[in-house]
Amino acid sequence: MGWFLGLGSAGLVLLALSLVFDGLLEGFFESIGAGFGALDGVLSLPVVAGFVSALGFTGAIATGAAGAGVVAATLTGVAAGALAAWLTWRFGRALLRDGAAPAPRGEDLTGTSGAVVTAIPAGGYGEVLLYLAGQPVKYAAKAAEPVARGAEVWVESVLSPTSVTVRPVER
């Protein structure tokens, strides 16, 4: 059982090292995985740490609590380690998904509606409340004609990252 507890503890130490040194040891495991082609991207420090920890602690539980022999405990640990490694890999891929939608930009505001928060004088700036990716954001706003507070407006163009040109909505 001592060997299994040692493996489980070693896996936790590997995980702690991956968190503390954030990528320093990661290159070593990625270079090993790149040498095997199919393991490229799969073999990372958190995945290895999850496998080793699950193998060790599951083997210790199987030996101590269930009274399993070394071979049965090792096979059980390998199965639990493979599951932990797969779950760690999948979770990591979900967090770093490349297919995610890009972050919204200011240009995405063109054509959206909003409300005037501070009246817009002729030739000057006021403020409008717009929604960017579902979040309310206040922008400085300029209009060709004066617009009263509370009026609904459309964004015609983006002047800068913090200002837009608007026109009143006519109904």
Side-chain angles (χ1 to χ4, degrees):
M1 181 174 2
W3 282 100
F4 288 120
L5 290 175
L7 281 173
S9 299
L12 291 179
V13 168
L14 276 176
L15 185 59
L17 287 174
S18 75
L19 294 173
V20 171
F21 294 113
D22 192 31
L24 186 64
L25 299 173
E26 193 73 28
F28 172 73
F29 284 97
E30 287 178 0
S31 66
I32 291 172
F36 291 104
L39 294 179
D40 190 20
V42 175
L43 195 60
S44 68
L45 191 54
V47 171
V48 171
F51 176 80
V52 172
S53 291
L55 183 150
F57 290 132
T58 302
I61 291 169
T63 302
V70 175
V71 174
T74 302
L75 292 175
T76 305
V78 167
L83 178 64
W86 181 77
L87 289 172
T88 304
W89 177 71
R90 293 292 296 173
F91 184 66
R93 292 214 9 138
L95 288 176
L96 301 173
R97 187 176 358 183
D98 291 332
R105 301 174 312 213
E107 292 81 28
D108 296 334
L109 291 172
T110 303
T112 61
S113 65
V116 176
V117 177
T118 305
I120 304 171
Y125 283 92
E127 293 178 319
V128 294
L129 185 64
L130 304 172
Y131 288 89
L132 183 60
Q135 297 296 317
V137 183
K138 196 179 341 179
Y139 284 87
K142 192 173 190 175
E145 58 190 63
V147 183
R149 182 177 186 267
E152 186 178 0
V153 292
W154 288 100
V155 176
E156 288 185 325
S157 65
V158 177
L159 299 173
S160 73
T162 59
S163 63
V164 293
T165 303
V166 297
R167 67 175 172 79
V169 173
E170 297 175 15
R171 294 191 184 236

